[in-house]
Amino acid sequence: MPPETLVKMGITPAEIGRFVQRVEQPIVVRTPGDAAIYLMKEIYTPFEVFDQEELWVLLLDTKSKITHAVMVYRGGLNTVYLRIGELFKEAVKVNAASIILSHIHPSGDPTPSHQDVRVTEDVIKAAQILGIEVLDHIVVGDGRWVSLKERGLGFK
């Protein structure tokens, strides 16, 4: 969501940093584990406070450095309604070369659902049109994570 929309929703400028964060010391992502560690240490922490799914997108430059972390949606206990176009708003705005899609399972079990796989497939199709590469979709649980790309789920 653009910052001005968040302000109209009653979210203060100080709170906006929770939704679009510029990563001051960019982290290079060489493996899914690099991204997962960043997500568990910087985004989904402490795990216990997450009682709803949140969907985040990490934006990367041409050198595979995370430049921004964007919270796109907050959903229910085990679902998030997703409008694919909104995933790419900030990526297009900052001219990101690639993205990593991620969400948290408050149950603690990071096993991807059928819906997670379907969303991944849809995101990849949209990204191809935009010329943005989807590097992975990482599901985070309590101290554990799953890379859909490593498991061959949603990536062809």
Side-chain angles (χ1 to χ4, degrees), residues 119-155:
V119 164
T120 303
E121 293 168 346
D122 292 345
V123 169
I124 290 170
K125 287 176 193 171
Q128 289 170 342
I129 293 168
L130 294 170
I132 297 173
E133 184 179 4
V134 178
L135 298 178
D136 210 334
H137 182 170
I138 296 175
V139 182
V140 174
D142 190 3
R144 301 179 297 152
W145 57 273
V146 171
S147 159
L148 274 76
K149 189 167 190 175
E150 281 186 337
R151 292 208 177 166
L153 300 172
F155 290 83

mmCIF file of all heavy atoms in Angstrom, residues 119-155:
data_model
loop_
_atom_site.group_PDB
_atom_site.id
_atom_site.type_symbol
_atom_site.label_atom_id
_atom_site.label_comp_id
_atom_site.label_asym_id
_atom_site.label_seq_id
_atom_site.Cartn_x
_atom_site.Cartn_y
_atom_site.Cartn_z
ATOM 1 N N VAL A 119 -0.976 -19.547 -5.453
ATOM 2 C CA VAL A 119 -0.599 -18.131 -5.417
ATOM 3 C C VAL A 119 0.786 -17.953 -6.031
ATOM 4 O O VAL A 119 1.017 -17.025 -6.806
ATOM 5 C CB VAL A 119 -0.637 -17.583 -3.973
ATOM 6 C CG1 VAL A 119 0.105 -16.260 -3.856
ATOM 7 C CG2 VAL A 119 -2.073 -17.430 -3.506
ATOM 8 N N THR A 120 1.713 -18.833 -5.705
ATOM 9 C CA THR A 120 3.065 -18.757 -6.252
ATOM 10 C C THR A 120 3.022 -18.813 -7.773
ATOM 11 O O THR A 120 3.686 -18.016 -8.455
ATOM 12 C CB THR A 120 3.947 -19.894 -5.701
ATOM 13 O OG1 THR A 120 3.957 -19.813 -4.273
ATOM 14 C CG2 THR A 120 5.365 -19.820 -6.227
ATOM 15 N N GLU A 121 2.258 -19.730 -8.312
ATOM 16 C CA GLU A 121 2.134 -19.853 -9.775
ATOM 17 C C GLU A 121 1.585 -18.568 -10.389
ATOM 18 O O GLU A 121 2.085 -18.089 -11.417
ATOM 19 C CB GLU A 121 1.236 -21.033 -10.133
ATOM 20 C CG GLU A 121 1.834 -22.371 -9.771
ATOM 21 C CD GLU A 121 0.859 -23.534 -9.852
ATOM 22 O OE1 GLU A 121 -0.371 -23.315 -9.939
ATOM 23 O OE2 GLU A 121 1.339 -24.688 -9.818
ATOM 24 N N ASP A 122 0.562 -17.992 -9.757
ATOM 25 C CA ASP A 122 -0.035 -16.753 -10.263
ATOM 26 C C ASP A 122 0.940 -15.582 -10.191
ATOM 27 O O ASP A 122 1.011 -14.763 -11.102
ATOM 28 C CB ASP A 122 -1.320 -16.411 -9.495
ATOM 29 C CG ASP A 122 -2.455 -17.386 -9.768
ATOM 30 O OD1 ASP A 122 -2.375 -18.159 -10.748
ATOM 31 O OD2 ASP A 122 -3.424 -17.379 -8.982
ATOM 32 N N VAL A 123 1.687 -15.503 -9.107
ATOM 33 C CA VAL A 123 2.657 -14.423 -8.932
ATOM 34 C C VAL A 123 3.752 -14.536 -9.997
ATOM 35 O O VAL A 123 4.163 -13.531 -10.591
ATOM 36 C CB VAL A 123 3.256 -14.433 -7.506
ATOM 37 C CG1 VAL A 123 4.452 -13.502 -7.391
ATOM 38 C CG2 VAL A 123 2.192 -14.059 -6.487
ATOM 39 N N ILE A 124 4.204 -15.726 -10.266
ATOM 40 C CA ILE A 124 5.253 -15.932 -11.273
ATOM 41 C C ILE A 124 4.755 -15.501 -12.650
ATOM 42 O O ILE A 124 5.485 -14.839 -13.399
ATOM 43 C CB ILE A 124 5.739 -17.394 -11.272
ATOM 44 C CG1 ILE A 124 6.528 -17.660 -9.986
ATOM 45 C CG2 ILE A 124 6.574 -17.696 -12.511
ATOM 46 C CD1 ILE A 124 6.864 -19.115 -9.746
ATOM 47 N N LYS A 125 3.515 -15.829 -12.998
ATOM 48 C CA LYS A 125 2.952 -15.412 -14.295
ATOM 49 C C LYS A 125 2.918 -13.888 -14.410
ATOM 50 O O LYS A 125 3.305 -13.321 -15.435
ATOM 51 C CB LYS A 125 1.540 -15.969 -14.464
ATOM 52 C CG LYS A 125 1.493 -17.452 -14.730
ATOM 53 C CD LYS A 125 0.045 -17.933 -14.793
ATOM 54 C CE LYS A 125 -0.025 -19.434 -14.753
ATOM 55 N NZ LYS A 125 -1.419 -19.915 -14.607
ATOM 56 N N ALA A 126 2.463 -13.225 -13.359
ATOM 57 C CA ALA A 126 2.396 -11.759 -13.371
ATOM 58 C C ALA A 126 3.797 -11.153 -13.445
ATOM 59 O O ALA A 126 4.030 -10.184 -14.163
ATOM 60 C CB ALA A 126 1.661 -11.252 -12.133
ATOM 61 N N ALA A 127 4.728 -11.731 -12.719
ATOM 62 C CA ALA A 127 6.105 -11.218 -12.693
ATOM 63 C C ALA A 127 6.748 -11.307 -14.070
ATOM 64 O O ALA A 127 7.500 -10.414 -14.466
ATOM 65 C CB ALA A 127 6.925 -11.992 -11.666
ATOM 66 N N GLN A 128 6.458 -12.367 -14.799
ATOM 67 C CA GLN A 128 7.024 -12.513 -16.145
ATOM 68 C C GLN A 128 6.568 -11.380 -17.049
ATOM 69 O O GLN A 128 7.361 -10.850 -17.826
ATOM 70 C CB GLN A 128 6.633 -13.874 -16.734
ATOM 71 C CG GLN A 128 7.358 -15.020 -16.058
ATOM 72 C CD GLN A 128 6.818 -16.386 -16.461
ATOM 73 O OE1 GLN A 128 5.714 -16.517 -16.972
ATOM 74 N NE2 GLN A 128 7.619 -17.414 -16.219
ATOM 75 N N ILE A 129 5.332 -10.987 -16.923
ATOM 76 C CA ILE A 129 4.806 -9.883 -17.724
ATOM 77 C C ILE A 129 5.519 -8.578 -17.367
ATOM 78 O O ILE A 129 5.830 -7.770 -18.234
ATOM 79 C CB ILE A 129 3.278 -9.748 -17.543
ATOM 80 C CG1 ILE A 129 2.585 -10.973 -18.153
ATOM 81 C CG2 ILE A 129 2.756 -8.449 -18.157
ATOM 82 C CD1 ILE A 129 1.125 -11.101 -17.780
ATOM 83 N N LEU A 130 5.798 -8.397 -16.075
ATOM 84 C CA LEU A 130 6.446 -7.170 -15.598
ATOM 85 C C LEU A 130 7.965 -7.173 -15.755
ATOM 86 O O LEU A 130 8.608 -6.143 -15.570
ATOM 87 C CB LEU A 130 6.101 -6.938 -14.124
ATOM 88 C CG LEU A 130 4.638 -6.652 -13.824
ATOM 89 C CD1 LEU A 130 4.385 -6.697 -12.319
ATOM 90 C CD2 LEU A 130 4.235 -5.308 -14.406
ATOM 91 N N GLY A 131 8.526 -8.330 -16.075
ATOM 92 C CA GLY A 131 9.979 -8.413 -16.192
ATOM 93 C C GLY A 131 10.686 -8.432 -14.851
ATOM 94 O O GLY A 131 11.817 -7.966 -14.721
ATOM 95 N N ILE A 132 10.001 -8.948 -13.839
ATOM 96 C CA ILE A 132 10.569 -9.060 -12.490
ATOM 97 C C ILE A 132 10.664 -10.542 -12.157
ATOM 98 O O ILE A 132 9.688 -11.279 -12.303
ATOM 99 C CB ILE A 132 9.691 -8.336 -11.450
ATOM 100 C CG1 ILE A 132 9.625 -6.835 -11.760
ATOM 101 C CG2 ILE A 132 10.212 -8.581 -10.035
ATOM 102 C CD1 ILE A 132 8.645 -6.069 -10.899
ATOM 103 N N GLU A 133 11.824 -10.989 -11.717
ATOM 104 C CA GLU A 133 11.999 -12.403 -11.401
ATOM 105 C C GLU A 133 11.516 -12.713 -9.979
ATOM 106 O O GLU A 133 11.787 -11.955 -9.046
ATOM 107 C CB GLU A 133 13.468 -12.788 -11.521
ATOM 108 C CG GLU A 133 13.728 -14.256 -11.297
ATOM 109 C CD GLU A 133 15.191 -14.647 -11.445
ATOM 110 O OE1 GLU A 133 16.042 -13.758 -11.646
ATOM 111 O OE2 GLU A 133 15.481 -15.850 -11.342
ATOM 112 N N VAL A 134 10.798 -13.816 -9.830
ATOM 113 C CA VAL A 134 10.404 -14.295 -8.505
ATOM 114 C C VAL A 134 11.438 -15.344 -8.111
ATOM 115 O O VAL A 134 11.510 -16.412 -8.713
ATOM 116 C CB VAL A 134 8.979 -14.904 -8.500
ATOM 117 C CG1 VAL A 134 8.630 -15.424 -7.107
ATOM 118 C CG2 VAL A 134 7.957 -13.882 -8.964
ATOM 119 N N LEU A 135 12.249 -15.016 -7.119
ATOM 120 C CA LEU A 135 13.321 -15.918 -6.710
ATOM 121 C C LEU A 135 12.819 -17.067 -5.850
ATOM 122 O O LEU A 135 13.359 -18.170 -5.919
ATOM 123 C CB LEU A 135 14.412 -15.155 -5.953
ATOM 124 C CG LEU A 135 15.130 -14.067 -6.741
ATOM 125 C CD1 LEU A 135 16.147 -13.355 -5.848
ATOM 126 C CD2 LEU A 135 15.800 -14.639 -7.977
ATOM 127 N N ASP A 136 11.796 -16.795 -5.032
ATOM 128 C CA ASP A 136 11.308 -17.848 -4.130
ATOM 129 C C ASP A 136 10.024 -17.394 -3.460
ATOM 130 O O ASP A 136 9.643 -16.225 -3.538
ATOM 131 C CB ASP A 136 12.352 -18.158 -3.055
ATOM 132 C CG ASP A 136 12.306 -19.601 -2.560
ATOM 133 O OD1 ASP A 136 11.225 -20.234 -2.630
ATOM 134 O OD2 ASP A 136 13.352 -20.096 -2.123
ATOM 135 N N HIS A 137 9.374 -18.335 -2.823
ATOM 136 C CA HIS A 137 8.256 -18.081 -1.914
ATOM 137 C C HIS A 137 8.607 -18.873 -0.664
ATOM 138 O O HIS A 137 8.682 -20.100 -0.702
ATOM 139 C CB HIS A 137 6.938 -18.556 -2.519
ATOM 140 C CG HIS A 137 5.752 -18.279 -1.650
ATOM 141 N ND1 HIS A 137 4.471 -18.440 -2.100
ATOM 142 C CD2 HIS A 137 5.637 -17.860 -0.359
ATOM 143 C CE1 HIS A 137 3.611 -18.131 -1.136
ATOM 144 N NE2 HIS A 137 4.313 -17.786 -0.062
ATOM 145 N N ILE A 138 8.838 -18.159 0.418
ATOM 146 C CA ILE A 138 9.262 -18.791 1.666
ATOM 147 C C ILE A 138 8.141 -18.686 2.687
ATOM 148 O O ILE A 138 7.625 -17.608 2.954
ATOM 149 C CB ILE A 138 10.551 -18.130 2.194
ATOM 150 C CG1 ILE A 138 11.670 -18.374 1.191
ATOM 151 C CG2 ILE A 138 10.902 -18.659 3.579
ATOM 152 C CD1 ILE A 138 12.963 -17.680 1.509
ATOM 153 N N VAL A 139 7.776 -19.840 3.241
ATOM 154 C CA VAL A 139 6.763 -19.891 4.295
ATOM 155 C C VAL A 139 7.511 -20.083 5.616
ATOM 156 O O VAL A 139 8.329 -20.994 5.750
ATOM 157 C CB VAL A 139 5.762 -21.051 4.075
ATOM 158 C CG1 VAL A 139 4.699 -21.043 5.171
ATOM 159 C CG2 VAL A 139 5.124 -20.956 2.691
ATOM 160 N N VAL A 140 7.213 -19.203 6.568
ATOM 161 C CA VAL A 140 7.893 -19.228 7.861
ATOM 162 C C VAL A 140 6.937 -19.737 8.930
ATOM 163 O O VAL A 140 5.778 -19.331 8.992
ATOM 164 C CB VAL A 140 8.415 -17.816 8.231
ATOM 165 C CG1 VAL A 140 9.003 -17.794 9.633
ATOM 166 C CG2 VAL A 140 9.435 -17.349 7.203
ATOM 167 N N GLY A 141 7.450 -20.640 9.746
ATOM 168 C CA GLY A 141 6.719 -21.137 10.914
ATOM 169 C C GLY A 141 7.526 -20.804 12.164
ATOM 170 O O GLY A 141 8.381 -19.928 12.153
ATOM 171 N N ASP A 142 7.270 -21.520 13.215
ATOM 172 C CA ASP A 142 7.952 -21.280 14.484
ATOM 173 C C ASP A 142 9.352 -21.891 14.450
ATOM 174 O O ASP A 142 9.529 -23.085 14.682
ATOM 175 C CB ASP A 142 7.138 -21.872 15.631
ATOM 176 C CG ASP A 142 7.659 -21.457 16.994
ATOM 177 O OD1 ASP A 142 8.621 -20.668 17.066
ATOM 178 O OD2 ASP A 142 7.090 -21.923 18.003
ATOM 179 N N GLY A 143 10.359 -21.056 14.119
ATOM 180 C CA GLY A 143 11.737 -21.515 14.072
ATOM 181 C C GLY A 143 12.066 -22.373 12.862
ATOM 182 O O GLY A 143 13.161 -22.923 12.775
ATOM 183 N N ARG A 144 11.133 -22.500 11.929
ATOM 184 C CA ARG A 144 11.330 -23.319 10.732
ATOM 185 C C ARG A 144 10.818 -22.573 9.516
ATOM 186 O O ARG A 144 9.997 -21.667 9.654
ATOM 187 C CB ARG A 144 10.570 -24.645 10.854
ATOM 188 C CG ARG A 144 10.981 -25.473 12.053
ATOM 189 C CD ARG A 144 10.208 -26.764 12.166
ATOM 190 N NE ARG A 144 8.777 -26.494 12.379
ATOM 191 C CZ ARG A 144 7.800 -27.308 12.001
ATOM 192 N NH1 ARG A 144 8.067 -28.430 11.374
ATOM 193 N NH2 ARG A 144 6.549 -27.024 12.250
ATOM 194 N N TRP A 145 11.261 -22.976 8.369
ATOM 195 C CA TRP A 145 10.820 -22.355 7.126
ATOM 196 C C TRP A 145 10.860 -23.375 5.997
ATOM 197 O O TRP A 145 11.547 -24.393 6.092
ATOM 198 C CB TRP A 145 11.686 -21.148 6.789
ATOM 199 C CG TRP A 145 13.150 -21.466 6.670
ATOM 200 C CD1 TRP A 145 14.067 -21.494 7.692
ATOM 201 C CD2 TRP A 145 13.858 -21.833 5.486
ATOM 202 N NE1 TRP A 145 15.298 -21.852 7.212
ATOM 203 C CE2 TRP A 145 15.209 -22.054 5.858
ATOM 204 C CE3 TRP A 145 13.511 -21.987 4.156
ATOM 205 C CZ2 TRP A 145 16.188 -22.435 4.943
ATOM 206 C CZ3 TRP A 145 14.487 -22.357 3.241
ATOM 207 C CH2 TRP A 145 15.798 -22.566 3.643
ATOM 208 N N VAL A 146 10.113 -23.072 4.937
ATOM 209 C CA VAL A 146 10.090 -23.921 3.752
ATOM 210 C C VAL A 146 10.220 -23.029 2.523
ATOM 211 O O VAL A 146 9.523 -22.020 2.404
ATOM 212 C CB VAL A 146 8.773 -24.731 3.662
ATOM 213 C CG1 VAL A 146 8.659 -25.439 2.319
ATOM 214 C CG2 VAL A 146 8.673 -25.729 4.805
ATOM 215 N N SER A 147 11.093 -23.427 1.616
ATOM 216 C CA SER A 147 11.249 -22.764 0.325
ATOM 217 C C SER A 147 10.423 -23.540 -0.695
ATOM 218 O O SER A 147 10.686 -24.716 -0.941
ATOM 219 C CB SER A 147 12.723 -22.780 -0.101
ATOM 220 O OG SER A 147 12.849 -22.590 -1.490
ATOM 221 N N LEU A 148 9.419 -22.870 -1.269
ATOM 222 C CA LEU A 148 8.628 -23.534 -2.295
ATOM 223 C C LEU A 148 9.480 -23.849 -3.515
ATOM 224 O O LEU A 148 9.287 -24.883 -4.164
ATOM 225 C CB LEU A 148 7.412 -22.700 -2.685
ATOM 226 C CG LEU A 148 6.178 -22.928 -1.798
ATOM 227 C CD1 LEU A 148 6.302 -22.256 -0.464
ATOM 228 C CD2 LEU A 148 4.929 -22.501 -2.500
ATOM 229 N N LYS A 149 10.428 -22.992 -3.829
ATOM 230 C CA LYS A 149 11.296 -23.246 -4.986
ATOM 231 C C LYS A 149 12.131 -24.501 -4.770
ATOM 232 O O LYS A 149 12.245 -25.341 -5.667
ATOM 233 C CB LYS A 149 12.189 -22.054 -5.268
ATOM 234 C CG LYS A 149 12.937 -22.207 -6.576
ATOM 235 C CD LYS A 149 13.576 -20.930 -7.014
ATOM 236 C CE LYS A 149 14.094 -21.054 -8.442
ATOM 237 N NZ LYS A 149 14.618 -19.785 -8.911
ATOM 238 N N GLU A 150 12.724 -24.646 -3.586
ATOM 239 C CA GLU A 150 13.530 -25.846 -3.293
ATOM 240 C C GLU A 150 12.693 -27.119 -3.392
ATOM 241 O O GLU A 150 13.191 -28.153 -3.811
ATOM 242 C CB GLU A 150 14.152 -25.759 -1.901
ATOM 243 C CG GLU A 150 15.365 -24.888 -1.818
ATOM 244 C CD GLU A 150 16.032 -24.955 -0.462
ATOM 245 O OE1 GLU A 150 15.396 -25.298 0.553
ATOM 246 O OE2 GLU A 150 17.234 -24.633 -0.426
ATOM 247 N N ARG A 151 11.428 -27.016 -3.018
ATOM 248 C CA ARG A 151 10.544 -28.184 -3.068
ATOM 249 C C ARG A 151 9.896 -28.368 -4.450
ATOM 250 O O ARG A 151 9.150 -29.322 -4.648
ATOM 251 C CB ARG A 151 9.462 -28.073 -2.009
ATOM 252 C CG ARG A 151 10.020 -28.197 -0.607
ATOM 253 C CD ARG A 151 9.029 -28.750 0.339
ATOM 254 N NE ARG A 151 9.611 -28.917 1.649
ATOM 255 C CZ ARG A 151 8.892 -29.137 2.720
ATOM 256 N NH1 ARG A 151 7.576 -29.191 2.650
ATOM 257 N NH2 ARG A 151 9.478 -29.290 3.884
ATOM 258 N N GLY A 152 10.157 -27.436 -5.356
ATOM 259 C CA GLY A 152 9.578 -27.548 -6.690
ATOM 260 C C GLY A 152 8.093 -27.297 -6.714
ATOM 261 O O GLY A 152 7.376 -27.801 -7.573
ATOM 262 N N LEU A 153 7.601 -26.479 -5.787
ATOM 263 C CA LEU A 153 6.169 -26.191 -5.685
ATOM 264 C C LEU A 153 5.876 -24.822 -6.267
ATOM 265 O O LEU A 153 6.316 -23.800 -5.741
ATOM 266 C CB LEU A 153 5.727 -26.252 -4.221
ATOM 267 C CG LEU A 153 5.929 -27.578 -3.507
ATOM 268 C CD1 LEU A 153 5.628 -27.437 -2.028
ATOM 269 C CD2 LEU A 153 5.062 -28.654 -4.141
ATOM 270 N N GLY A 154 5.157 -24.788 -7.368
ATOM 271 C CA GLY A 154 4.771 -23.528 -7.987
ATOM 272 C C GLY A 154 5.789 -22.979 -8.972
ATOM 273 O O GLY A 154 5.508 -22.069 -9.729
ATOM 274 N N PHE A 155 6.997 -23.512 -8.956
ATOM 275 C CA PHE A 155 8.058 -23.090 -9.869
ATOM 276 C C PHE A 155 8.253 -24.197 -10.913
ATOM 277 O O PHE A 155 8.366 -25.359 -10.552
ATOM 278 C CB PHE A 155 9.371 -22.857 -9.110
ATOM 279 C CG PHE A 155 9.351 -21.653 -8.237
ATOM 280 C CD1 PHE A 155 8.798 -21.715 -6.964
ATOM 281 C CD2 PHE A 155 9.886 -20.458 -8.681
ATOM 282 C CE1 PHE A 155 8.770 -20.597 -6.141
ATOM 283 C CE2 PHE A 155 9.864 -19.331 -7.861
ATOM 284 C CZ PHE A 155 9.304 -19.405 -6.589
#
